[in-house]
Amino acid sequence: MKITPPDETNESQWCFIGESSSYLPTTEDVDHWLLVECVPKNKDTEGQPFRTVSPVVVSAGPGKCPFEDRHRFTKERVSNLGLRIVTYNLLADLYADQQYTRDVLFPYCPPHALEIAYRKQLFLKEIIGYNSDLVCLQEVDTKVFDGDLKPRLYLEGFAGIFDKKGGQVSEGVACFYRTDKPRQGFKN
C-alpha cells in the first residue's frame, strides 16, 4: 500500500517551518512530508511560486556521527594568517551503486547508507562543520557538484571549480575556496 502525502494546496495540513535558501531537517520532521515552496526573484521582479512535496517522508539520520566530535576543534575559522584545508573522498555514486561495492568493499554497510541522497547530507554537514578555507574533494559526481555542493557551499562563502576525469566517467575532483580569504601569493 502506497502512502500519499497531504494535499499541497490545503494549508491546514501543513506546518510552517521557516524561510531560507536551505533547510536541514530535524528530528521533529521524522515521519513527516516536507513541502518546499520556491519563489523566483531578481531585484525588481517576483515570479510565480513553485511548490513540491518530498517524494518520501523524512527518515531518521544515523544519530551522532564521529565527525561531530571533531567539529569541537574547528568551531571557529582560523585567522587570515592561517589556512585550514580539508580533503575528502566522497565515493562517487557510480562506484557506490555497484554490486561489487556492496558485497566486497562495504559488506557491513546497510544499502540505504550507500545511497547518494543519504550520504550527501552527511558529507555536506561534515565539510561545512570544519570551517575550512580550502576544500579539496575527490570522486565528486558532476550532478552532486552542480546540484548540491556548489549551491550549498556558495551559501557558506565558497566558490568552486570542478575537473572531470577523462573518458565516459561522470566524476572528478573539485576544489572550493573561501571568497573572503586573502589570496596573497596565489595566481588564478
Side-chain angles (χ1 to χ4, degrees):
M1 178 173 96
K2 183 176 177 174
I3 300 172
T4 57
D7 179 7
E8 68 183 62
T9 61
N10 186 344
E11 300 291 331
S12 67
Q13 294 181 328
W14 297 96
C15 175
F16 181 78
I17 296 173
E19 292 181 85
S20 69
S21 56
S22 66
Y23 178 70
L24 183 63
T26 66
T27 54
E28 289 81 26
D29 297 323
V30 172
D31 294 328
H32 292 87
W33 304 91
L34 292 179
L35 169 69
V36 177
E37 181 178 272
C38 295
V39 180
K41 297 179 181 181
N42 64 21
K43 292 179 184 176
D44 304 321
T45 310
E46 187 172 294
Q48 292 293 318
F50 174 78
R51 286 183 164 192
T52 188
V53 177
S54 58
V56 295
V57 296
V58 174
S59 59
K64 186 174 181 186
C65 296
F67 63 77
E68 292 174 297
D69 286 332
R70 294 189 292 270
H71 285 171
R72 290 183 302 134
F73 301 102
T74 60
K75 287 181 181 180
E76 304 295 324
R77 289 180 53 192
V78 296
S79 73
N80 282 339
L81 299 176
L83 183 69
R84 182 176 292 145
I85 302 171
V86 169
T87 184
Y88 201 101
N89 185 309
L90 301 185
L91 178 60
D93 193 39
L94 71 109
Y95 305 134
D97 194 27
Q98 294 180 1
Q99 198 62 43
Y100 179 80
T101 303
R102 291 186 288 275
D103 294 345
V104 178
L105 299 178
F106 304 107
Y108 52 84
C109 191
H112 78 274
L114 286 173
E115 292 175 12
I116 193 64
Y118 179 84
R119 291 185 299 115
K120 68 184 174 185
Q121 303 306 318
L122 292 173
F123 62 64
L124 276 166
K125 183 177 180 181
E126 181 169 6
I127 291 166
I128 291 167
Y130 289 129
N131 285 304
S132 63
D133 301 304
L134 184 64
V135 179
C136 304
L137 304 172
Q138 305 87 46
E139 289 191 31
V140 179
D141 287 283
T142 305
K143 64 185 180 205
V144 171
F145 177 81
D146 291 329
D148 300 289
L149 291 166
K150 192 173 180 180
R152 183 64 182 98
L153 292 176
Y154 173 81
L155 296 174
E156 299 295 325
F158 287 92
I161 56 172
F162 175 77
D163 189 31
K164 186 175 155 184
K165 278 187 181 176
Q168 299 298 315
V169 180
S170 64
E171 62 95 354
V173 295
C175 184
F176 289 90
Y177 57 92
R178 286 210 180 267
T179 57
D180 65 349
K181 189 82 170 185
R183 291 182 294 204
Q184 297 166 341
F186 291 101
K187 293 183 180 180
N188 291 336

